[in-house]
Amino acid sequence: MIKTSPLVSVIVPVYNVGPYLDQCLSSLVGQVYEDIEIIIIDDGSTDDGASIAKSYSADDNRVILIEQENFGLSAARNAGLEIAGGEYVLFVDGDDWVDIDVCSHLIDLAQTRDADVVVYGLKFHSDSNVRCRKNFVYDGGIGGEEYLLESMKSGGFSPTVCNKLFRKSIIDTIVFPVGLRYEDIYFSFMSILSSDRVCATNDFFYNYRIGRSGSITSKISIDSFFDLRSIYQKLYRDLHSMGLGGICNNKYYRSDMLARFDNEIIIKLFDKTSFEGRDETVDILKNDSWLQLNSKNYLLSPLSFVHKLNYMFFFSPKVLHCFAKGVYLFRSLIRGW
């Protein structure tokens, strides 16, 4: 294959991330690979993020600024996709940043492997330390469905869109679900399953900031459960309409789904301080027919031992629930998060 220098569209949604935006945008305009367009979508910011974005768009003609009312993360990303002119698309959140050689490395992998999606590594930054999340690695390229199942089987699947380079042509008909959190799960599943070839590496180029006050992932309530359930219900409908409904019955898909509910909802219920309306949520989850149906055989699933314990404690008497909460808090102290 003859290597060219295709345009990469980098989509950056921005909402009240002023203290972090300069670090994000400087990491993009300073890319070693210069054939990029940086599309900033200011989703109604009320802080100085709007002025920072305007400054970058005035100084660099590769920076395109879209200003809109606050419609949410999905709507902002969709607005960026509508005008993206690149052959490839990269997503970077406005409070994160990337290494300056991320585009050059990902384009090289996409071209040499003829990949529709390139998955790469994440570095998680807290106030106290940095840790890396490893992917299921197959840098030679593999079919989309096979990659998805093998990565879920290994426990190395990450649903975020921020650690993936997408060929624009395979995501032209895919949009982020507006009005729902966990939109990355839907977009990643649909795009990977639409791909003929996926390449994955554990080169860690994306820097993900965790624990930021006011971030979407820090806001947990009963609506979090409803949104996550709606995402998987939408996936079920859309995958069946594509003739790919069989994957929804695969044990590794179902195990990954249960692990997602455990990580995003159940574990956080053990910490009252991070969950609004905790008691109400516990009652709703324990009586939710959809969750009961999908978790009834969790002990026989490929879920990890820790996930199985969490589900067992959650659906068990209160004394076990209290014990599980203690284990969770102890584990948090040991890990230093």
Side-chain angles (χ1 to χ4, degrees):
M1 178 183 294
I2 299 176
K3 290 188 179 181
T4 60
S5 297
L7 182 67
V8 178
S9 297
V10 186
I11 296 176
V12 186
V14 170
Y15 179 71
N16 290 351
V17 290
Y20 317 104
L21 188 56
D22 184 66
Q23 183 179 22
C24 172
L25 296 180
S26 64
S27 76
L28 294 173
V29 299
Q31 284 294 302
V32 174
Y33 187 91
E34 297 182 341
D35 294 323
I36 64 175
E37 61 175 9
I38 303 164
I39 304 172
I40 305 172
I41 306 92
D42 177 16
D43 194 42
S45 294
T46 57
D47 65 357
D48 63 348
S51 61
I52 294 172
K54 287 179 181 178
S55 175
Y56 272 88
S57 66
D59 293 342
D60 194 321
N61 60 13
R62 298 174 302 167
V63 179
I64 302 166
L65 176 61
I66 300 174
E67 296 177 289
Q68 64 182 35
E69 295 180 33
N70 181 223
F71 295 128
L73 178 59
S74 288
R77 285 173 172 168
N78 289 338
L81 285 171
E82 287 180 5
I83 68 165
E87 186 177 339
Y88 295 92
V89 173
L90 197 66
F91 294 96
V92 179
D93 286 345
D95 54 346
D96 299 330
W97 72 99
V98 292
D99 294 353
I100 61 170
D101 53 352
V102 60
C103 288
S104 59
H105 279 284
L106 297 183
I107 286 298
D108 181 66
L109 284 171
Q111 291 192 319
T112 56
R113 274 63 166 184
D114 191 26
D116 296 317
V117 178
V118 179
V119 184
Y120 63 107
L122 294 162
K123 289 178 284 190
F124 292 88
H125 295 256
S126 71
D127 291 336
S128 58
N129 56 25
V130 179
R131 66 182 176 91
C132 297
R133 174 169 181 165
K134 292 184 178 180
N135 299 305
F136 166 74
V137 175
Y138 203 103
D139 63 4
I142 190 174
E145 183 173 353
E146 186 178 0
Y147 169 79
L148 197 61
L149 293 176
E150 288 295 327
S151 62
M152 289 189 292
K153 179 180 178 180
S154 70
F157 175 67
S158 173
T160 179
V161 298
C162 290
N163 72 331
K164 299 172 181 68
L165 177 78
F166 300 92
R167 193 192 301 273
K168 179 66 160 54
S169 59
I170 65 116
I171 60 174
D172 274 338
T173 60
I174 304 172
V175 296
F176 289 92
V178 176
L180 295 174
R181 283 165 287 190
Y182 310 109
E183 61 284 309
D184 285 29
I185 296 174
Y186 177 84
F187 195 94
S188 289
F189 269 87
M190 295 296 289
S191 58
I192 289 173
L193 289 172
S194 299
S195 304
D196 291 327
R197 198 169 186 83
V198 176
C199 170
T201 176
N202 267 334
D203 292 327
F204 301 100
F205 299 123
Y206 193 94
N207 299 280
Y208 186 95
R209 196 185 307 272
I210 62 175
R212 178 178 70 83
S213 175
S215 69
I216 293 175
T217 54
S218 69
K219 299 175 182 177
I220 303 297
S221 68
I222 181 59
D223 290 335
S224 303
F225 167 68
F226 292 138
D227 283 355
L228 189 54
R229 184 182 65 180
S230 294
I231 287 293
Y232 278 103
Q233 289 173 331
K234 179 172 173 56
L235 264 177
Y236 182 89
R237 294 191 301 269
D238 291 353
L239 290 177
H240 275 79
S241 68
M242 294 169 60
L244 296 172
I247 195 173
C248 298
N249 295 320
N250 181 278
K251 63 181 180 180
Y252 297 113
Y253 173 89
R254 297 175 70 85
S255 175
D256 184 83
M257 178 177 65
L258 289 175
R260 203 72 53 200
F261 271 90
D262 186 30
N263 288 333
E264 299 296 335
I265 309 296
I266 293 177
I267 286 178
K268 293 173 182 177
L269 283 170
F270 295 149
D271 179 8
K272 286 185 179 181
T273 61
S274 69
F275 212 112
E276 300 175 13
R278 176 186 173 278
D279 293 338
E280 176 191 3
T281 303
V282 169
D283 290 338
I284 290 174
L285 263 64
K286 286 188 174 182
N287 293 285
D288 183 78
S289 59
W290 186 88
L291 184 59
Q292 287 180 348
L293 176 65
N294 284 280
S295 62
K296 64 180 181 179
N297 293 320
Y298 70 89
L299 285 174
L300 300 177
S301 76
L303 275 171
S304 71
F305 178 70
V306 172
H307 285 310
K308 288 179 179 179
L309 276 181
N310 286 337
Y311 270 97
M312 181 174 67
F313 290 144
F314 180 76
F315 288 114
S316 295
K318 191 171 182 179
V319 61
L320 292 179
H321 189 116
C322 293
F323 174 76
K325 177 186 174 183
V327 170
Y328 167 71
L329 293 175
F330 176 75
R331 186 176 65 177
S332 299
L333 290 173
I334 293 298
R335 293 175 63 182
W337 294 96

